[in-house]
Amino acid sequence: MRVAFPYMGNIRFAVGAIMRTLGAEVVVPGPPNRTVLEVGARLSPELMCIPFKLTLGNMVRALDMGADTLVYAGGSWSCRFGYFGRLQAMILRRLGYRFRVLEVRRDQLPVVFREALGLADGRLSRALLRGGRALRLAWYKSRAVDAAEALAREAAPFAAEPGEPYRMLNRVLALVDKTETPAGLKQVHRDLRQTFGRIPRNGRTWVPRVKLVGESFCVVEPFVNFNVIRKLGEMGVFADPFLTAHRWVGFHGLRLWRDELKNVRRASASYWRYCVGGEDQNSLGHLILAARKGYDGVVHVHPFGCMPSAVAQPTMAKACRDFDIPLLSLSLDEHSSETGVMTRLEAFVSLLHRRQMLKERTAAAAR
Amino acid sequence: MRIAPAELCLPVKAFLGHVRSLVGEVDALFLPRIVCRRARKELLFGCPKALALPDLVRALFPSLPQVVELNLDERLESEARAFGRAAKTLGCGPAAGRRAYQRARTSYRQLAPDGMMACSPSLAWTAVVAPGHGRPVRIRVVGHPYVLYDRTLSLGLLDKLGQIGAEPAVVHGAGGWPADAARPEFLPNWVHEVPLIHGALNPAGREPYDGVLLASSFACGTSAVTNEIIRHAVGARWPSLPILTLMLDEHTAEAGLLTRIESFVELIRLRGRR
């Protein structure tokens, strides 16, 4: 079985580890690029969102590389995300590709289990052992990646050489990719602080702190958001995403951190009654919690045409007015340009610095 | 249009304009929220935009009269209990709320015995097909009733089809799939989309049709999925059946709309489907 799954940021470390340990051969089509996006956009219904278009382009590439099984997360609820797998399969089969689809959704779990059993030659004990090993390895890989990403984000605004933290991150990710034992990954994790601590600093004492919220794919996949976290870091801003690849797998795959979820939903309850999808409630809740913690601004990234994001935008704007925190909203599709995004980010960062300056002047005058 | 974010669909923009005209004129606003309905063993969800309308209204309008929300979520409680809660917001006791709900159900059943989505379009609109064009070209029109039957939002699409000698048929269906129907690849679990797919693909008991017209609002996310399912199923079952997709938004011009539907109907006539 040669499996491929949608490319979304660094989830490939955890998901790839699970598939390989269960016995499948994993086809990773490589990070997305302009060509992949154009192929996906051409084959997709025009008003589907950019996560659909980009992952469709990736799946075409994976099938061309020899994948015979496509794995998707799915479900049936208000947002379209749950139907991505079925819709993409319909489009790809119409193009003439032959493959199987494995959808990880509630009513398909017996099918997924049977496939895992098939990979273990029908032996239940072998399947269960592999399953346990798969989850354990995936967890340590994902945790190490998450810790490295966090350290790169923290170091970026303070680095003397702006690109160095992310070059360091790439080296660490390559090491995590090669390391196939939990013990090895624990060692990589332990060494991270020392690794990133060696990056020379620029002497800054204060940097603006910005919370990044929005639809999960746009927050987690750097190609779609034009590497907004890295760009803000290189502009001297600490950008803190509410969601990372590891947290996405934890929240949605393994249903972890339920207390945090309750807390976030309680924070957003007076503004947003129901979760409609697209991380609407979570984004709003994290925005409010960030405002309460004294963050200096919020950047909201979402796909053009994303139904939950479109309808949540006025509510986010209201919450930002109520909490007096600046909001930059970026709507992303295949026509978005890096220059346009950079212009907006630069103006936003300039606004944050100005607000800080006015705050300091007011405080000095009060003294 | 001025109030709403640009990415919202036409019906929601119209809704917000309507709310604006009512604020200051009324004592209370009734805002329903269709979250989830049970259809036999399936759960059908509302569109994400419709699901969040009360929250959207609260965000966009700084001062509102009393908002009476009706949250229909049949995963949590029955329709009757949901109506009871809404009645309580209006200050009605449980008995009065129950009586009002029963009267509403009786009126609804008299108007639409098989449910609103399956009721005859003639309740909302009467087809007038202009004479002098020979046998009318029968077009199966697929779109949400709240757009199609609104002459402003749809720019009188159904009337225009009649004027050019086409007979539009708006069909919302339910139930199974007879042998002569086109089968969809899958059915999304959306309350407003399942009847559209049934109606588009299921000709059983009805006159055969000559073409399909998919009329959607720009930025309607559910239509992007529904229309693709319909196109795929129609293409597989009736490969030579023409399909036209129309996008409706606040910028749509009547002339452009008329040009497209005239060309479509003319194409069908030329292909000898008269």
Side-chain angles (χ1 to χ4, degrees):
Chain A
M1 185 194 283
R2 305 193 77 217
V3 302
F5 49 87
Y7 193 106
M8 181 172 112
N10 289 331
I11 66 159
R12 67 186 184 282
F13 291 95
V15 180
I18 290 173
M19 305 282 169
R20 269 193 302 275
T21 313
L22 288 174
E25 189 185 333
V26 178
V27 176
V28 181
N33 57 37
R34 193 72 219 165
T35 308
V36 166
L37 179 56
E38 280 169 12
V39 166
R42 201 171 54 237
L43 299 172
S44 303
E46 186 190 357
L47 290 171
M48 287 303 289
C49 46
I50 193 172
F52 181 88
K53 291 173 178 173
L54 191 61
T55 51
L56 181 60
N58 265 126
M59 290 310 209
V60 168
R61 197 155 64 156
L63 288 167
D64 289 340
M65 285 167 70
D68 57 34
T69 306
L70 303 184
V71 178
Y72 291 94
S76 296
W77 55 83
S78 189
C79 163
R80 296 182 283 195
F81 167 71
Y83 302 108
F84 276 19
R86 285 167 272 185
L87 196 56
Q88 288 192 1
M90 194 174 87
I91 293 169
L92 291 166
R93 285 192 176 117
R94 195 168 60 207
L95 290 172
Y97 287 106
R98 296 281 168 264
F99 55 92
R100 287 185 315 148
V101 171
L102 268 184
E103 249 197 298
V104 182
R105 63 176 208 257
R106 212 169 287 177
D107 59 337
Q108 294 288 303
L109 288 179
V111 176
V112 173
F113 180 74
R114 268 201 306 276
E115 289 297 326
L117 195 58
L119 285 170
D121 302 320
R123 289 166 56 180
L124 181 61
S125 53
R126 182 188 279 183
L128 290 173
L129 194 63
R130 279 187 182 176
R133 280 190 190 140
L135 287 173
R136 195 156 173 260
L137 182 66
W139 178 255
Y140 283 113
K141 282 218 183 220
S142 190
R143 212 173 62 125
V145 166
D146 199 54
E149 286 173 347
L151 286 165
R153 284 195 299 271
E154 283 165 20
F158 298 101
E161 176 66 41
E164 185 53 27
Y166 282 92
R167 285 193 288 273
M168 185 72 75
L169 175 64
N170 287 338
R171 289 194 284 274
V172 170
L173 292 181
L175 183 59
V176 168
D177 206 15
K178 280 191 314 202
T179 310
E180 294 293 337
T181 63
L185 289 163
K186 280 186 207 172
Q187 186 58 50
V188 170
H189 194 158
R190 273 196 291 270
D191 294 340
L192 283 175
R193 240 176 224 288
Q194 197 179 20
T195 307
F196 281 90
R198 287 198 289 263
I199 297 174
R201 295 172 69 95
N202 56 24
R204 277 188 188 126
T205 50
W206 177 86
V207 295
R209 291 186 308 157
V210 156
K211 193 76 182 179
L212 183 70
V213 298
E215 188 274 329
S216 37
F217 194 91
C218 286
V219 171
V220 171
E221 175 47 58
F223 175 75
V224 167
N225 64 39
F226 297 99
N227 234 324
V228 68
I229 297 174
R230 177 171 177 166
K231 281 194 170 56
L232 283 169
E234 290 169 1
M235 285 192 237
V237 174
F238 172 60
D240 179 20
F242 87 102
L243 195 68
T244 59
H246 176 67
R247 282 163 62 81
W248 187 87
V249 171
F251 278 125
H252 298 297
L254 305 173
R255 304 285 187 215
L256 298 176
W257 310 311
R258 306 314 282 175
D259 285 342
E260 182 187 326
L261 210 54
K262 277 188 200 150
N263 204 21
V264 159
R265 288 186 176 171
R266 204 175 308 125
S268 63
S270 61
Y271 289 92
W272 201 252
R273 177 80 188 266
Y274 270 93
C275 177
V276 306
E279 305 289 358
D280 53 344
Q281 240 179 359
N282 293 341
S283 288
L284 195 48
H286 278 283
L287 180 162
I288 292 167
L289 292 175
R292 287 182 189 157
K293 285 183 193 159
Y295 274 63
D296 302 291
V298 177
V299 174
H300 174 220
V301 287
H302 61 275
F304 176 78
C306 173
M307 300 184 277
S309 300
V311 80
Q313 275 185 66
T315 306
M316 288 193 160
K318 179 168 194 300
C320 285
R321 278 195 305 274
D322 292 345
F323 285 93
D324 189 28
I325 184 168
L327 169 71
L328 173 67
S329 192
L330 295 173
S331 178
L332 303 167
D333 71 355
E334 63 271 26
H335 305 295
S336 299
S337 84
E338 189 163 1
T339 311
V341 168
M342 277 304 294
T343 309
R344 284 163 177 79
L345 288 177
E346 283 166 359
F348 189 63
V349 172
S350 180
L351 179 143
L352 297 180
H353 280 287
R354 182 163 170 77
R355 276 173 64 99
Q356 178 62 15
M357 185 185 72
L358 289 172
K359 220 184 277 182
E360 284 168 359
R361 267 193 206 159
T362 310
R367 284 194 295 270
Chain B
M1 282 189 293
R2 279 197 295 271
I3 311 163
E7 288 179 38
L8 289 178
C9 58
L10 184 63
V12 172
K13 288 176 179 171
F15 162 84
L16 291 171
H18 196 192
V19 167
R20 187 180 187 167
S21 69
L22 288 172
V23 167
E25 305 292 323
V26 299
D27 302 312
L29 268 177
F30 177 68
L31 299 177
R33 197 199 295 258
I34 301 173
V35 181
C36 182
R37 299 287 248 164
R38 284 193 186 278
R40 300 187 200 96
K41 289 183 191 167
E42 294 281 334
L43 292 177
L44 297 180
F45 293 89
C47 150
K49 290 182 179 122
L51 229 149
L53 286 180
D55 304 313
L56 181 63
V57 165
R58 286 194 182 94
L60 286 172
F61 295 93
S63 70
L64 285 170
Q66 182 191 8
V67 171
V68 178
E69 264 189 56
L70 170 67
N71 294 311
L72 276 171
D73 188 348
E74 290 185 317
R75 292 172 301 177
L76 302 176
E77 61 184 2
S78 65
E79 184 187 72
R81 286 182 77 94
F83 272 93
R85 274 185 208 282
K88 196 174 166 185
T89 319
L90 281 167
C92 296
R98 264 197 305 276
R99 272 197 306 273
Y101 172 65
Q102 287 306 329
R103 277 196 202 127
R105 275 196 72 88
T106 306
S107 297
Y108 179 71
R109 280 202 190 108
Q110 283 167 356
L111 179 72
D114 299 315
M116 189 60 76
M117 291 297 282
C119 70
S120 168
S122 61
L123 287 172
W125 168 81
T126 307
V128 176
V129 180
H133 294 273
R135 181 185 84 87
V137 170
R138 294 191 182 90
I139 307 286
R140 182 68 60 94
V141 182
V142 182
H144 296 121
Y146 45 81
V147 173
L148 286 184
Y149 299 148
D150 186 307
R151 284 191 165 91
T152 305
L153 297 184
S154 68
L155 297 176
L157 172 64
L158 299 177
D159 297 319
K160 284 182 171 66
L161 282 166
Q163 282 157 18
I164 58 174
E167 186 183 317
V170 183
V171 180
H172 298 131
W177 300 95
D180 59 346
R183 301 297 297 258
E185 192 74 15
F186 67 94
L187 269 181
N189 285 44
W190 285 316
V191 143
H192 294 113
E193 303 304 312
V194 170
L196 298 192
I197 296 172
H198 264 284
L201 304 183
N202 194 340
R206 297 179 181 94
E207 291 288 327
Y209 46 101
D210 304 310
V212 180
L213 198 162
L214 305 172
S216 315
S217 304
F218 180 78
C220 177
T222 51
S223 289
V225 177
T226 303
N227 289 352
E228 191 67 14
I229 292 171
I230 292 171
R231 271 194 287 266
H232 182 87
V234 167
R237 183 78 170 79
W238 305 293
S240 59
L241 194 64
I243 303 176
L244 173 68
T245 306
L246 289 178
M247 286 288 157
L248 299 167
D249 70 0
E250 61 270 28
H251 305 295
T252 308
E254 281 201 42
L257 185 84
L258 200 52
T259 309
R260 280 164 178 77
I261 59 175
E262 279 177 343
S263 304
F264 186 57
V265 169
E266 199 52 41
L267 169 94
I268 294 171
R269 283 203 186 105
L270 284 171
R271 288 178 68 178
R273 286 190 176 268
R274 296 188 60 232

